[in-house]
Amino acid sequence: MFFASDNWAGAHAAINDRLSRESTRFAAAYGNSDLDKAVEARFNEIFEREVSVYFVSTGTAANSLSLASIARIGGLVLAHSEAHVIEDECGAPDFLSGMRMTPVAGDNGKIDPAALKAAIARYPQDAVHHGRSAAVTITQATETGTIYSLDEIDAISKIAKENGLPLHMDGARFGNALVSLGCSPAEMTWKRGVDVLSFGGTKNGCWCAEAIVFFNPEMAKEFAFIRKRAAQLFSKTRFISAQFEAYLQDGLWLKLAGHANAMADRLRAGIGASNSARLAWSTTSNEVFAILNKAAAASAEEQGAKFYDWLVPLKLDGMVRSDERLIRLVTSFATTEEDVDQFLSICASV
Amino acid sequence: MFFASDNWAGAHAAINDRLSRESTRFAAAYGNSDLDKAVEARFNEIFEREVSVYFVSTGTAANSLSLASIARIGGLVLAHSEAHVIEDECGAPDFLSGMRMTPVAGDNGKIDPAALKAAIARYPQDAVHHGRSAAVTITQATETGTIYSLDEIDAISKIAKENGLPLHMDGARFGNALVSLGCSPAEMTWKRGVDVLSFGGTKNGCWCAEAIVFFNPEMAKEFAFIRKRAAQLFSKTRFISAQFEAYLQDGLWLKLAGHANAMADRLRAGIGASNSARLAWSTTSNEVFAILNKAAAASAEEQGAKFYDWLVPLKLDGMVRSDERLIRLVTSFATTEEDVDQFLSICASV
Amino acid sequence: MFFASDNWAGAHAAINDRLSRESTRFAAAYGNSDLDKAVEARFNEIFEREVSVYFVSTGTAANSLSLASIARIGGLVLAHSEAHVIEDECGAPDFLSGMRMTPVAGDNGKIDPAALKAAIARYPQDAVHHGRSAAVTITQATETGTIYSLDEIDAISKIAKENGLPLHMDGARFGNALVSLGCSPAEMTWKRGVDVLSFGGTKNGCWCAEAIVFFNPEMAKEFAFIRKRAAQLFSKTRFISAQFEAYLQDGLWLKLAGHANAMADRLRAGIGASNSARLAWSTTSNEVFAILNKAAAASAEEQGAKFYDWLVPLKLDGMVRSDERLIRLVTSFATTEEDVDQFLSICASV
Amino acid sequence: MFFASDNWAGAHAAINDRLSRESTRFAAAYGNSDLDKAVEARFNEIFEREVSVYFVSTGTAANSLSLASIARIGGLVLAHSEAHVIEDECGAPDFLSGMRMTPVAGDNGKIDPAALKAAIARYPQDAVHHGRSAAVTITQATETGTIYSLDEIDAISKIAKENGLPLHMDGARFGNALVSLGCSPAEMTWKRGVDVLSFGGTKNGCWCAEAIVFFNPEMAKEFAFIRKRAAQLFSKTRFISAQFEAYLQDGLWLKLAGHANAMADRLRAGIGASNSARLAWSTTSNEVFAILNKAAAASAEEQGAKFYDWLVPLKLDGMVRSDERLIRLVTSFATTEEDVDQFLSICASV
């Protein structure tokens, strides 16, 4: 019952096998091997256009260096107030991009278009004192388990574009969002105006595979230097490529994300029907936020369930009673039906 | 005949096997798993004292964040003029530590103690205008394939200590140096006054395993923040730990380094006896610098040999004739006797 | 009728005279002259204790380098959401301190103690992911013309101290606040737990005189390097000292601030009694926020009055009607009764 | 006998008078006053073309932000090994521009063209590992009192241009060099290919007047943000403008520099003819480097002469005997013939 995070899972067997095969040969370092080139080309196929792809070590690096690549002096990055870049990356995006992450309000973990407009109006392009809006970033799926619809991405994108601002998407759980929406990678990104994407593979079956995808290769022209200066250029880059090759082959990544989402659906259904637990809010990704009575939560923990209390300062308006806990449950490619059912049965039994 | 760099090799089978085993289970993220703790303890044994160990993604990150952990405002890091931190890391150490890498002269890739003293005298602790010496860093083995003797480390360390400066060691090829000197890890580091070590595993049989080892845990007390802010905290850290566990088990790392060094010895012996090639200077690590006549070098390349011309602006005093090339040959755990002998026979045949 | 800002005023005659006298002699550069030392000692008297004083070029520099001196990696600076460091310094505090300015809510331009507690709880000292609270900063007088009472400073300071956080005060309008409260400099600062102060002279009669005052000299021990590295060490520092000497002599600074406040009182009284204007909210410093009908505002502008519309995104709850403007009026040492009365009479006549 | 530095002098009476006049009026802040605009236009006349001019607080700021305006990620700034940006600015240029100052050799304080070519070859534009050359900076007059001839500037400029590198000139003593060469400001700068100039007024009669002059206004398009983010935007900017207005009026600045140079000539002539002192090397600016016997130097100091020993690690090849001192003597607009003669007579009498 490992629901603490999808990064508690290991690596999928197919990805591990591909890594093993890679280990036995020599090849050029620093991303110059045949495999690296092949995987870069594979990304073009996945996104149905020419893209520029760069690997980095962590999701935080992907976000931070994406933003560094579109940085402006005195720039402000407009992000949802609960976004990972604001709440969970220890200031790395600010440090590595030289810009301040600036909170924008919005319900359900999504930027509110009106609030975004107001922020851009407050920080216009000539605002030497206030600072200037320099980029918009959205998280798909969001930190609260919700997913921007294509229309919602459009709405944000339109505002960004009207104001000349590049749009970044934090796709640490890109696969989960994609499967949930049932659209293509292109439809969820550049066809909606996304310029730069943090494309995460680690949470969905790789052990370390994070890519930055530039939909406008021009935007990437300084990136090799940005990455190296940030100490993020792997010498044996092809071991990242190997993971991505297996990940993207025959739709494995979508199957893994689909499984994770299905396990979350199973949790949602069970919790929705439970007497000792209820859903805190509606989610459609592999994250479930539940309110459990404390006895049920404690019982689950005693029997080995792993999960975190959710402490992000949401305005919960008395949603959680004093004998309850708000917890986050995250499923992954490795979550089993048995784990889910065991958890639900504990909830049901308290 | 892959002599371009030791980072062109893959990963050793034992390390790969350990990674595979790790892939099938769940465990706590961000370095909090049982395995992470076990490997941290293993480092205490290796170094015969309590150390603080942190994993990062690259050797450049290890150097840069080591220096960040001992950074002072307006500080200068005194490094050999050909050191990796000066010549090969795209300014990452400066960017991530906020200090300037400052060249100090010395023969054979090693800092000259007298030049170090002069630099420290030039940049004393109260030098608000000049900037102040803040750290000394040495590379073991050096970028030119040489190795500081224990006495030479002592000489540098003594100067650093007398001036209150921490001493960092870039150990990207730590194992190769250690095996060459035939001493213990402790003897080559903290017993000589090294305070912080970049401990590299990637070049010696891992695919991605770089650690920073603090011999004074007090010095590491801000490091968790330094690493996270630099986007270098892996979520699935235990896959680094798994590599190090196998690497350090039963002396595997020393065997691998010993093999690489032996292959370099074989190259050195063959080249020393050759008519069409000669050693550019004496080395004792897994790096060999050779001067080949151009025909021999071209012939080797035609037959698949991989190596780089060495372009670091050494004062070579006419050492290389116009019909010759100065090349670097690097061996690794995966280099075979057959590869070495094939290369030598090509040289002999031209 | 120059009410745009107090930094539109020139320099007071006494300060100008002192500068003139200084111009005719030689003296040691970089803050090492007799005058520099004398003025440093004068600050000890003003604050009734030993302090460490450093001059910088701008108020933004004073804030940014104050924060740099107490910076922690991954640190968050808790500031009122409308604070100058957040809204008006183009990211300089973040850039120069390496920390993110983080908004905390509060009415009347002042940090709400409960919101401060919540922020500190959200960002505790071990929060490697979220980032950690590293400092609290308050502005006295605030950007909205209000002034923290001594008890209000105590309340903020107590929370900061209980959590081990240093407290910075942005005193760009320190004199105005001090005169308004009628207390001593010591009572408004270190006796309330303020650790570092941006002490502004520019807005109150100097042309360029900004100091950072450390109440704990230990906290300043790296500051000489912080300032020089930020390119803020004047060679002819004594011309700043000369300004401060005249400024602090015979209470000149308090007289100038008192005059500015009195002119603001006169504005407040007149506007309060006006039919075409009203006070937007209550202030007690040299800043007045008024809501004018557009005709009155336009008429004033036509007759030469200078002022800015106030656009900070306050929650004004429909306070300003569509035929009105919310404007800021700032008085200074150089504001005359005639200017005030002319402005009021324009308002009265529309 | 104040020969310690030209920044020990005060301010010229005409400049002081202009400042006094400015103090009595109101005007727009942050560089938006009529006077600011007039002085900006004056720079166009001085340089015989449209330029973009920005004021900052110190020479270090001028250099650092000049370089920030042309910064590239992973960029190296090629500077003479004894340049102020390397030896005297506490790392500010590196910190504020994000680039590493990189030493290039050369006799007489001037970059050697061959060494510059070698450095650019070592750090080409695609050198992701080594870092890339990003700018060349020269100091005019140099830190060792010498002056680049127009041909010498041409030689450096040609190399920079051929390699696509912008050329910066540190003109902390611009006036002294200009007068010495007897050419126009245009001839010494943009007509020779200089792109950005640190134009210093402080050492030559102002108390604080440093400007950055962009000869290509396009290059300055981000500068307003660069300056503000570095906390270098004065609110009462017009007090800098006032100094520059007086400084540039009727050629005052050239007269002041001419006087300083003449006083240095007088020193040079006297020392050249002395038995107890000799010139260390030939200079043509307002800096004189002399080797005095220790008795003469001590006697001069006893009688109030101020000067510094010169400790920059020049290769002096035994030039200075153990009973001698190498000292630097700097003259200024305020140096008198009496001071010079008194110093020379002390030397003569020992």
Side-chain angles (χ1 to χ4, degrees):
Chain A
M1 295 186 289
F2 289 94
F3 301 120
S5 180
D6 28 12
N7 57 33
W8 284 45
H12 187 265
I15 291 163
N16 185 61
D17 289 349
R18 183 64 190 83
L19 270 174
S20 291
R21 269 195 293 133
E22 192 59 25
S23 70
T24 60
R25 67 171 192 134
F26 288 87
Y30 298 116
N32 297 312
S33 77
D34 50 349
L35 175 60
D36 298 311
K37 302 304 174 194
V39 170
E40 288 178 16
R42 187 77 184 93
F43 271 90
N44 293 344
E45 294 172 17
I46 294 288
F47 284 100
E48 303 173 49
R49 65 169 289 164
E50 193 193 345
V51 299
S52 285
V53 185
Y54 295 85
F55 305 145
V56 293
S57 66
T58 66
T60 294
N63 288 337
S64 300
L65 298 189
S66 289
L67 296 171
S69 73
I70 51 179
R72 307 201 71 188
I73 305 287
L76 300 169
V77 176
L78 305 175
H80 189 270
S81 55
E82 293 160 29
H84 209 261
V85 292
I86 290 189
E87 286 292 328
D88 288 290
E89 300 186 349
C90 196
D94 310 61
F95 175 57
L96 295 171
S97 77
M99 301 196 286
R100 187 194 294 159
M101 301 301 111
T102 303
V104 178
D107 293 337
N108 302 314
K110 305 177 200 174
I111 290 177
D112 174 56
L116 179 61
K117 278 186 194 171
I120 295 172
R122 171 63 184 157
Y123 306 111
Q125 292 310 299
D126 60 351
V128 169
H129 291 261
H130 300 326
R132 54 181 166 181
S133 304
V136 179
T137 179
I138 57 176
T139 313
Q140 181 77 325
T142 75
E143 282 73 21
T144 55
T146 58
I147 294 174
Y148 284 89
S149 71
L150 297 186
D151 283 351
E152 287 172 330
I153 300 175
D154 265 337
I156 298 296
S157 175
K158 187 160 172 286
I159 296 167
K161 291 292 168 283
E162 284 170 358
N163 290 281
L165 302 180
L167 179 59
H168 168 255
M169 178 181 279
D170 174 358
R173 294 189 177 94
F174 187 83
N176 303 100
L178 196 70
V179 166
S180 181
L181 288 183
C183 66
S184 73
E187 285 170 336
M188 201 167 82
T189 57
W190 62 271
K191 289 189 176 177
R192 300 267 93 65
V194 173
D195 297 293
V196 194
L197 169 68
S198 297
F199 182 85
T202 305
K203 285 182 159 73
N204 190 33
C206 299
W207 88 252
C208 169
E210 301 291 322
I212 299 175
V213 180
F214 292 93
F215 297 110
N216 178 354
E218 179 67 16
M219 209 173 256
K221 67 182 198 296
E222 298 287 312
F223 195 78
F225 287 91
I226 289 173
R227 180 175 59 179
K228 179 65 186 172
R229 191 185 59 154
Q232 289 280 349
L233 177 57
F234 287 104
S235 57
K236 298 184 177 175
T237 296
R238 60 188 165 108
F239 285 88
I240 308 284
S241 295
Q243 293 178 70
F244 271 127
E245 192 185 60
Y247 184 69
L248 297 174
Q249 193 167 333
D250 301 328
L252 175 63
W253 65 304
L254 301 176
K255 290 174 204 161
L256 299 182
H259 175 82
N261 286 6
M263 292 302 98
D265 287 340
R266 196 175 184 95
L267 269 175
R268 281 185 279 260
I271 290 169
S274 166
N275 286 326
S276 61
R278 64 187 190 282
L279 295 173
W281 56 83
S282 172
T283 63
T284 54
S285 70
N286 63 321
E287 291 195 317
V288 179
F289 294 80
I291 297 170
L292 265 66
N293 66 50
K294 287 185 173 174
S299 175
E301 285 175 325
E302 272 164 34
Q303 294 174 63
K306 301 290 184 187
F307 51 79
Y308 288 116
D309 289 272
W310 189 247
L311 301 174
V312 171
L314 300 166
K315 288 181 182 151
L316 295 173
D317 300 324
M319 182 199 285
V320 185
R321 294 198 311 263
S322 64
D323 62 341
E324 294 179 328
R325 289 164 58 184
L326 170 58
I327 66 168
R328 186 186 73 160
L329 302 164
V330 192
T331 57
S332 76
F333 77 95
T335 305
T336 62
E337 292 190 358
E338 290 69 32
D339 277 345
V340 170
D341 293 348
Q342 184 186 358
F343 181 83
L344 291 173
S345 95
I346 293 169
C347 289
S349 68
V350 176
Chain B
M1 294 185 289
F2 288 95
F3 302 120
S5 181
D6 28 12
N7 58 34
W8 284 45
H12 188 266
I15 291 163
N16 186 61
D17 289 348
R18 183 64 189 83
L19 270 174
S20 292
R21 268 194 291 135
E22 192 60 24
S23 71
T24 58
R25 66 171 191 134
F26 288 87
Y30 298 116
N32 297 313
S33 77
D34 50 349
L35 176 60
D36 298 312
K37 301 306 173 195
V39 171
E40 287 178 19
R42 187 78 184 94
F43 271 89
N44 293 344
E45 293 171 18
I46 294 288
F47 284 100
E48 303 174 49
R49 65 169 288 164
E50 193 193 346
V51 300
S52 285
V53 184
Y54 295 86
F55 305 145
V56 294
S57 66
T58 67
T60 295
N63 288 338
S64 300
L65 299 190
S66 288
L67 295 171
S69 73
I70 51 180
R72 306 200 70 188
I73 306 287
L76 300 169
V77 176
L78 305 175
H80 189 269
S81 55
E82 294 159 28
H84 209 261
V85 292
I86 289 189
E87 286 292 328
D88 289 289
E89 300 186 349
C90 196
D94 309 62
F95 175 57
L96 294 172
S97 78
M99 301 196 285
R100 186 193 293 157
M101 302 301 111
T102 302
V104 178
D107 293 336
N108 303 314
K110 305 178 201 174
I111 290 178
D112 174 57
L116 179 60
K117 278 186 194 170
I120 294 173
R122 172 62 184 157
Y123 306 112
Q125 292 311 299
D126 60 351
V128 169
H129 291 261
H130 300 325
R132 55 181 165 181
S133 304
V136 179
T137 177
I138 57 176
T139 314
Q140 181 78 323
T142 76
E143 283 71 22
T144 56
T146 58
I147 294 175
Y148 284 90
S149 70
L150 296 187
D151 283 351
E152 287 172 330
I153 300 175
D154 265 337
I156 298 295
S157 176
K158 187 160 170 286
I159 296 167
K161 292 292 168 285
E162 284 170 358
N163 289 280
L165 302 179
L167 179 60
H168 168 254
M169 177 181 279
D170 174 357
R173 294 188 178 97
F174 187 84
N176 303 102
L178 196 70
V179 166
S180 181
L181 289 183
C183 64
S184 72
E187 283 170 337
M188 201 167 83
T189 55
W190 62 271
K191 288 188 176 177
R192 300 266 94 64
V194 172
D195 296 294
V196 195
L197 169 69
S198 296
F199 182 86
T202 305
K203 286 182 159 74
N204 191 34
C206 299
W207 90 252
C208 169
E210 301 291 323
I212 300 175
V213 180
F214 292 92
F215 297 111
N216 178 352
E218 179 67 16
M219 209 174 255
K221 66 183 199 296
E222 298 288 311
F223 195 78
F225 287 91
I226 289 174
R227 180 175 61 179
K228 179 65 185 172
R229 190 185 60 153
Q232 290 280 351
L233 176 58
F234 288 103
S235 57
K236 297 184 178 176
T237 296
R238 61 190 165 107
F239 284 88
I240 308 284
S241 295
Q243 293 178 71
F244 271 126
E245 191 185 62
Y247 184 68
L248 297 175
Q249 191 166 335
D250 300 329
L252 176 63
W253 65 303
L254 301 176
K255 291 173 203 161
L256 300 181
H259 175 82
N261 286 7
M263 292 302 98
D265 287 341
R266 196 175 182 99
L267 270 173
R268 279 184 281 258
I271 289 169
S274 167
N275 286 324
S276 61
R278 64 186 190 282
L279 295 173
W281 57 82
S282 172
T283 63
T284 52
S285 71
N286 64 320
E287 292 196 316
V288 179
F289 293 81
I291 297 170
L292 265 65
N293 66 51
K294 287 186 174 172
S299 175
E301 284 175 326
E302 272 162 35
Q303 294 174 61
K306 302 289 185 190
F307 51 78
Y308 287 117
D309 289 273
W310 190 246
L311 302 172
V312 170
L314 300 167
K315 288 181 183 151
L316 294 172
D317 300 324
M319 182 198 287
V320 185
R321 295 197 310 262
S322 64
D323 63 340
E324 294 179 326
R325 288 164 59 184
L326 169 58
I327 66 168
R328 185 187 72 161
L329 302 165
V330 192
T331 57
S332 75
F333 76 95
T335 305
T336 62
E337 292 190 358
E338 289 68 32
D339 277 347
V340 170
D341 293 348
Q342 184 185 359
F343 181 83
L344 291 173
S345 94
I346 294 169
C347 290
S349 67
V350 178
Chain C
M1 294 185 289
F2 289 95
F3 302 119
S5 180
D6 27 13
N7 58 34
W8 284 45
H12 188 266
I15 291 164
N16 185 62
D17 289 348
R18 182 64 189 83
L19 271 174
S20 292
R21 268 194 293 135
E22 192 59 25
S23 71
T24 59
R25 66 171 192 136
F26 288 87
Y30 299 116
N32 297 312
S33 77
D34 51 348
L35 176 60
D36 297 311
K37 301 305 174 195
V39 171
E40 287 177 19
R42 186 77 183 94
F43 271 90
N44 293 344
E45 294 171 17
I46 294 288
F47 284 100
E48 302 173 48
R49 65 169 288 164
E50 193 192 346
V51 300
S52 285
V53 184
Y54 295 86
F55 305 146
V56 295
S57 67
T58 67
T60 294
N63 288 338
S64 300
L65 298 189
S66 289
L67 296 171
S69 72
I70 51 179
R72 307 200 69 187
I73 305 287
L76 299 169
V77 176
L78 306 175
H80 189 269
S81 55
E82 294 159 29
H84 209 261
V85 292
I86 290 189
E87 287 292 326
D88 289 288
E89 300 186 348
C90 196
D94 308 62
F95 176 56
L96 295 172
S97 78
M99 302 197 284
R100 185 193 295 159
M101 302 300 111
T102 303
V104 178
D107 293 336
N108 303 314
K110 304 178 201 175
I111 290 178
D112 174 57
L116 178 60
K117 277 185 195 172
I120 294 173
R122 172 63 184 157
Y123 307 111
Q125 292 311 299
D126 60 351
V128 168
H129 291 261
H130 300 325
R132 54 181 164 180
S133 304
V136 179
T137 177
I138 56 176
T139 314
Q140 180 79 321
T142 76
E143 282 72 22
T144 55
T146 58
I147 294 175
Y148 285 89
S149 71
L150 296 187
D151 283 351
E152 286 171 331
I153 300 175
D154 265 337
I156 298 296
S157 175
K158 187 160 170 287
I159 296 167
K161 292 292 169 282
E162 283 170 358
N163 290 281
L165 302 179
L167 178 60
H168 168 254
M169 178 181 278
D170 174 357
R173 295 188 177 94
F174 187 83
N176 303 101
L178 196 70
V179 166
S180 181
L181 289 183
C183 66
S184 73
E187 283 169 338
M188 200 167 83
T189 56
W190 62 271
K191 288 188 175 176
R192 300 267 95 63
V194 172
D195 295 295
V196 195
L197 169 68
S198 297
F199 182 86
T202 305
K203 287 183 159 76
N204 191 35
C206 299
W207 89 252
C208 169
E210 301 291 323
I212 300 175
V213 180
F214 292 93
F215 297 111
N216 178 353
E218 179 66 16
M219 209 174 254
K221 67 182 199 295
E222 299 288 311
F223 195 78
F225 287 90
I226 290 174
R227 179 175 60 178
K228 179 65 185 171
R229 191 185 60 153
Q232 289 280 349
L233 176 59
F234 288 103
S235 57
K236 297 184 179 176
T237 296
R238 61 189 166 107
F239 284 88
I240 308 284
S241 295
Q243 293 179 70
F244 271 126
E245 190 184 62
Y247 184 68
L248 297 174
Q249 192 166 333
D250 300 329
L252 176 63
W253 65 304
L254 301 176
K255 290 174 204 160
L256 299 182
H259 175 82
N261 287 6
M263 292 302 98
D265 287 340
R266 196 174 183 98
L267 270 173
R268 279 185 280 260
I271 290 169
S274 167
N275 286 326
S276 61
R278 64 186 190 282
L279 294 173
W281 57 83
S282 172
T283 63
T284 52
S285 70
N286 64 321
E287 291 196 316
V288 178
F289 293 82
I291 298 169
L292 264 66
N293 66 50
K294 287 186 174 172
S299 176
E301 284 174 327
E302 272 163 34
Q303 294 175 61
K306 301 289 184 189
F307 50 79
Y308 288 117
D309 289 273
W310 189 246
L311 301 173
V312 171
L314 300 167
K315 288 181 182 150
L316 294 172
D317 300 324
M319 182 198 287
V320 184
R321 295 198 311 262
S322 63
D323 63 340
E324 293 179 326
R325 289 164 59 185
L326 169 58
I327 66 168
R328 185 187 72 160
L329 302 165
V330 192
T331 57
S332 76
F333 77 94
T335 306
T336 61
E337 292 189 359
E338 290 68 32
D339 277 346
V340 170
D341 292 348
Q342 184 186 0
F343 181 83
L344 291 173
S345 95
I346 294 169
C347 290
S349 68
V350 177
Chain D
M1 295 186 288
F2 288 94
F3 302 120
S5 180
D6 28 13
N7 57 34
W8 284 45
H12 187 266
I15 290 163
N16 185 61
D17 288 349
R18 183 63 189 84
L19 270 174
S20 291
R21 267 195 292 133
E22 192 60 23
S23 70
T24 59
R25 67 173 191 132
F26 288 86
Y30 299 116
N32 297 312
S33 77
D34 50 349
L35 175 60
D36 298 311
K37 302 305 173 194
V39 170
E40 288 177 18
R42 187 75 184 95
F43 271 89
N44 292 345
E45 294 172 17
I46 294 288
F47 284 99
E48 302 174 49
R49 65 169 290 164
E50 193 193 345
V51 300
S52 285
V53 184
Y54 296 86
F55 305 145
V56 294
S57 66
T58 66
T60 294
N63 289 337
S64 301
L65 298 189
S66 290
L67 296 171
S69 73
I70 52 179
R72 306 200 70 188
I73 305 287
L76 299 169
V77 176
L78 305 174
H80 189 270
S81 55
E82 294 160 29
H84 208 261
V85 292
I86 289 189
E87 287 292 328
D88 289 289
E89 300 186 349
C90 196
D94 309 61
F95 176 57
L96 295 171
S97 77
M99 301 197 285
R100 186 194 294 159
M101 302 302 111
T102 302
V104 179
D107 293 337
N108 303 314
K110 305 178 200 173
I111 290 177
D112 174 57
L116 179 61
K117 277 185 195 171
I120 294 173
R122 171 64 184 156
Y123 306 111
Q125 292 310 300
D126 60 352
V128 168
H129 292 262
H130 300 325
R132 54 181 166 181
S133 304
V136 179
T137 178
I138 56 176
T139 313
Q140 182 77 325
T142 75
E143 282 72 22
T144 55
T146 59
I147 295 175
Y148 285 89
S149 71
L150 295 186
D151 283 351
E152 287 172 331
I153 301 175
D154 264 337
I156 298 295
S157 176
K158 187 161 170 285
I159 297 167
K161 291 293 168 284
E162 284 170 358
N163 290 279
L165 302 180
L167 179 59
H168 168 255
M169 178 181 280
D170 174 358
R173 293 189 177 95
F174 187 84
N176 302 100
L178 196 70
V179 167
S180 181
L181 289 182
C183 65
S184 73
E187 285 169 337
M188 201 166 83
T189 57
W190 62 271
K191 289 188 176 176
R192 301 266 93 66
V194 172
D195 296 294
V196 194
L197 169 68
S198 297
F199 181 85
T202 306
K203 285 182 159 73
N204 191 33
C206 299
W207 89 252
C208 168
E210 301 291 323
I212 299 175
V213 180
F214 293 92
F215 297 110
N216 178 353
E218 179 67 16
M219 208 173 257
K221 66 182 199 295
E222 299 287 312
F223 195 78
F225 287 91
I226 289 173
R227 181 176 58 179
K228 179 64 186 173
R229 190 186 58 155
Q232 289 280 351
L233 176 58
F234 288 103
S235 57
K236 298 185 178 175
T237 296
R238 60 189 165 108
F239 283 88
I240 308 284
S241 294
Q243 293 178 72
F244 271 127
E245 192 185 59
Y247 184 69
L248 298 174
Q249 192 167 333
D250 300 329
L252 175 63
W253 65 303
L254 302 175
K255 290 173 205 162
L256 300 182
H259 175 82
N261 286 6
M263 292 302 98
D265 287 341
R266 195 175 185 96
L267 269 174
R268 280 185 279 260
I271 290 170
S274 167
N275 286 326
S276 61
R278 64 187 189 281
L279 295 173
W281 56 83
S282 172
T283 63
T284 53
S285 70
N286 64 321
E287 291 195 317
V288 178
F289 294 81
I291 298 170
L292 265 66
N293 66 51
K294 287 186 174 173
S299 176
E301 285 175 326
E302 271 164 34
Q303 293 175 62
K306 301 290 184 188
F307 51 79
Y308 287 116
D309 289 272
W310 189 245
L311 301 173
V312 171
L314 301 167
K315 288 181 183 149
L316 296 173
D317 300 324
M319 181 198 285
V320 185
R321 294 198 311 263
S322 63
D323 63 340
E324 293 180 328
R325 288 165 57 184
L326 169 58
I327 66 168
R328 186 187 72 161
L329 302 164
V330 192
T331 56
S332 76
F333 77 95
T335 305
T336 62
E337 293 190 358
E338 289 68 32
D339 277 345
V340 169
D341 293 348
Q342 183 186 0
F343 181 83
L344 291 172
S345 96
I346 293 170
C347 290
S349 67
V350 177

